[in-house]
Amino acid sequence: MFKFKVNGTSVTADKEQNLLTYLRDELRVTSVKDGCSEGACGTCTVLIDGKKIKACIPKLSSLVGKSIVTVEGLSLREKEVYVHCFAQAGAVQCGYCIPGMVISAKSLLDVNLNPTRLEVKKAIRGNLCRCTGYVKIEEAILQAADFFREDLPIPQRETQALLNTRFKRVDAEEKILGTGQFVDDLILPDMIYAKALRSKYPRAVVNRIDLSKALAHPDCIRILTEKDVPNKKIGHLVTDWDVMIAEGGTTRYIGDALALVATQHKETLDEVLALIEVDYTELVPITCPTDALKASAPLIHEQGNIMRKEVLKRGNADAAIKNSKYVVTRKYSTPFNDHAFMEPECAIALPEGEDGLLLYTGSQSVYDERHEISHMLAIPEEKIHCHSMLVGGGFCGKEDMSVQHHAALMAWYTKKPVKVKFSRQESLNYHTKRHAMEMEFTTACDEQGILTAMKAILIADTGAYASLGGPVLQRACTHAAGPYNYQNIDILGMSVYTNNVIGGAYRGFGVTQSCFATENNINLLAEMAGLSPWEMRYKNAIRPGQVLPNGQIADPNCAIVECLEAVKAVYEANPYAGIACAFKNSGTGVGLKDIGRCLLSIEKGLVHIRTSAACMGQGIATMCTHMVCQETGLDPALIVHERPDTNRTPNSGTSTASRQTVVTGEATRRAAQKLKAALAGGKSVADLNGQEFYDEFSAITDPMGSPKDFPVSHVSYSYGAQVVILDSQGKVEKVVAAYDVGTPVNIQSVEGQIEGGIIMGLGFALTEDFPVQGGYPLLKFGTLGLMRATEAPPVEVHLVQAPGEKLPYAFGAKGVGELCLIPTSPACSHAYYRYDGKFRTSLPLRETYYKK
């Protein structure tokens, strides 16, 4: 028996376990999150006798007589201050790390109410945040210190939520205090637990699977194999991903499932899995795309090892290069990269109605989940009801099925609620990554430094399954020539199957890789032409009315020139500054269906915003609230934003491609227009009870390879220029970024997205790696190289707009979620080139302050 206090209440535990498990499972204190269970992430930070500790580390036997405090145990005054300051500063995005951050803040402010920013950084060093880049969290803690020190009153709530203003996120409080629920926070009556046995080898024939010993385990409820799956393959866009590998089948990577086990208690899952005996014939894996392309290579999929091929040609690149004064050809290499979101994948499925299923999930599209699960089970989509809980940061890593389909499959057979959750290591090993790419870029210019042509070959490692490899390759190609005014391009892209972990969607979506190559080539051309890198970019930057390399005419709202002007002085003032430009589409584009939908329903005097657009921290609920309030002038207190739910919210497509602010934002604005008309004549919202106002917006674009002279590949583009400054030791001293995102919707959110993206981009450039050897990932969460607050440099953000007309939808807003990190890695490589004269062509950059 172990006796101690939790939030002032005496408790007694009767068995040994770690504190995190006890708090969450026994006491249901769910503000304390399970991010890694390795003591690396800090999402489970608590105070033990006033000292911050990660709850996944101590055993209960070490806590006898001690006092534990979580966010639930804060005083009313503390809750009010932290809620106000974190919301006001914009410190909350996905929110998964925030209760742990608040506890670390309290550990500092309990003893020091006048901290420096460095002291704040040190206080939260043990807490990772993948969304914010720490800037606004630090500001929030400094503000909280002021409130406590000076006993300041909490300001009145905002009564307006207009665009281009500072307005507190509508979901901030529930995330700060931990009252909002993520999937793993749910425990349902009679719930059981399931987990898949994964392949021992990246490539092997599965000769036999013997379940007999596992089935004899007293806690085993059911074991399913490939024979139990109605439709054997699923896939986000390409149906090529095996739900489970059959006896006689060949595995494609170590994440392939062979059997699905359900137990009464989650603690016994690994015991039962270890009793399953599998006889393999190990085969040599193909782990290099060039090997997979050889004629002698075995086929990873029946149709061949080339998953997708893309060709993009305009003008005559060969002739233009031949006639150009200066030509540069270089090869570039970028690695796999893990999303490292704080919330590991988790799903719960349970029976609902007659032969139906309800899924509680945390994905980027409840409708995509419904479609894939109904396909797997061979039942109508209407039988699958998907409801989103809060979603931890996704960064495009939660588009594919990871655990949802296995939870649904087991619930379908057992008729019980089933939870399936990845451990952090399972997440690292099995979920999709940023595509590793090998690239060769040739770029040319004339004597004056005017760009004339480029040729490129891009080979992407898509791993064992297609995932989003096709669209990622498309974006890498359509953006490969950069935001510049020249039209002679010849681009060949191939996405190739291997036995590596799967390459999928990741923030930047292929453009991160191709931008690294093209921007570095431009630096070399500038040198040859006798221009500064800033001048080279300014001279060639796309202007409104000019034609982008992909053939699209730049809109009047294009402001890459203004971005460059905003960073000119800081670039020229620092000898070790690197510069890079980038652009990124908003919307799916390339002729694909791209529709946002919104239903406003008036219920009990409140406006319910109903849309399936998923929020992984970017602020969908707040964005939609701004759209309604801007159009109608209503008080935001009258607005309720519902979570995505296939029974309640219309399909707004996946939260990817920086699309939701534009397409769902415009759909929401249009629905709000109808609401505004209904309110005319002095009517109140309460007068409209029971009424509904629906609208949608379809972004029309042209397909890849369109014969049009000036095809519209994407409905809009955002632009950015970034400067990375090194100090005399080669450490990043500061990052200055200027971004054209059209009309900013919410200032804190836009700045926070950019700040967080830049720190993620610095990690991609300098510290993060994802080593894979022979198809096996060789790392743990703590060795990923994620930047902590003490390593994150100051970030200065400038928001610029073109003087021309705004876009005709969503009040002129454009996406920023992906653009923000795209120019970071080439800006870093350029800074180091100016620092030591070494031209680096692979990531993460070597021989730097960060990687010796």
Side-chain angles (χ1 to χ4, degrees), residues 707-718:
K708 291 183 178 179
D709 290 337
F710 304 109
V712 177
S713 294
H714 298 283
V715 67
S716 69
Y717 293 98
S718 301

Side-chain angles (χ1 to χ4, degrees), residues 261-333:
V261 167
T263 60
Q264 193 70 43
H265 303 94
K266 63 182 176 182
E267 295 83 5
T268 62
L269 277 171
D270 287 335
E271 287 179 29
V272 179
L273 287 167
L275 294 173
I276 298 175
E277 297 177 348
V278 183
D279 178 60
Y280 298 93
T281 299
E282 186 180 0
L283 303 173
V284 177
I286 305 169
T287 59
C288 175
T290 53
D291 289 342
L293 291 173
K294 292 177 180 176
S296 58
L299 298 184
I300 295 172
H301 289 272
E302 290 180 5
Q303 69 271 28
N305 291 344
I306 298 177
M307 191 278 296
R308 179 71 71 89
K309 181 178 179 180
E310 294 288 354
V311 176
L312 183 59
K313 290 188 176 184
R314 283 186 66 80
N316 189 332
D318 285 327
I321 290 169
K322 183 179 179 181
N323 295 320
S324 295
K325 175 68 174 178
Y326 303 114
V327 180
V328 167
T329 299
R330 290 291 186 277
K331 292 182 178 180
Y332 297 92
S333 178

Side-chain angles (χ1 to χ4, degrees), residues 561-631:
V561 167
E562 286 78 4
C563 290
L564 280 164
E565 290 170 346
V567 300
K568 182 176 189 282
V570 71
Y571 172 73
E572 293 182 344
N574 290 277
Y576 303 142
I579 191 169
C581 293
F583 73 134
K584 182 67 175 69
N585 62 291
S586 291
T588 307
V590 293
L592 300 175
K593 184 170 70 172
D594 194 6
I595 303 174
R597 299 179 176 92
C598 181
L599 175 66
L600 302 179
S601 58
I602 314 303
E603 304 174 30
K604 297 180 180 179
L606 297 174
V607 180
H608 284 243
I609 301 174
R610 292 158 60 182
T611 171
S612 74
C615 177
M616 305 88 68
Q618 74 274 44
I620 293 291
T622 304
M623 178 274 291
C624 290
T625 300
H626 275 285
M627 292 292 168
V628 172
C629 293
Q630 179 73 31
E631 188 66 53

Side-chain angles (χ1 to χ4, degrees), residues 593-734:
K593 184 170 70 172
D594 194 6
I595 303 174
R597 299 179 176 92
C598 181
L599 175 66
L600 302 179
S601 58
I602 314 303
E603 304 174 30
K604 297 180 180 179
L606 297 174
V607 180
H608 284 243
I609 301 174
R610 292 158 60 182
T611 171
S612 74
C615 177
M616 305 88 68
Q618 74 274 44
I620 293 291
T622 304
M623 178 274 291
C624 290
T625 300
H626 275 285
M627 292 292 168
V628 172
C629 293
Q630 179 73 31
E631 188 66 53
T632 64
L634 289 173
D635 187 324
L638 297 172
I639 311 296
V640 175
H641 184 274
E642 296 192 15
R643 300 239 160 88
D645 184 304
T646 53
N647 283 8
R648 284 280 295 176
T649 59
N651 187 0
S652 280
T654 311
S655 288
T656 187
S658 303
R659 62 184 292 275
Q660 293 293 9
T661 294
V662 176
V663 296
T664 297
E666 173 62 7
T668 304
R669 187 195 68 80
R670 292 181 179 191
Q673 262 190 331
K674 295 178 178 179
L675 171 59
K676 180 182 179 180
L679 289 168
K683 289 183 179 178
S684 70
V685 171
D687 295 331
L688 304 179
N689 272 335
Q691 294 190 39
E692 295 182 345
F693 305 90
Y694 171 83
D695 217 317
E696 61 184 49
F697 170 62
S698 179
I700 306 300
T701 54
D702 298 312
M704 287 279 286
S706 168
K708 291 183 178 179
D709 290 337
F710 304 109
V712 177
S713 294
H714 298 283
V715 67
S716 69
Y717 293 98
S718 301
Y719 299 87
Q722 204 171 112
V723 171
V724 171
I725 303 164
L726 305 181
D727 65 17
S728 58
Q729 281 76 48
K731 183 180 180 182
V732 178
E733 185 177 272
K734 188 177 184 181

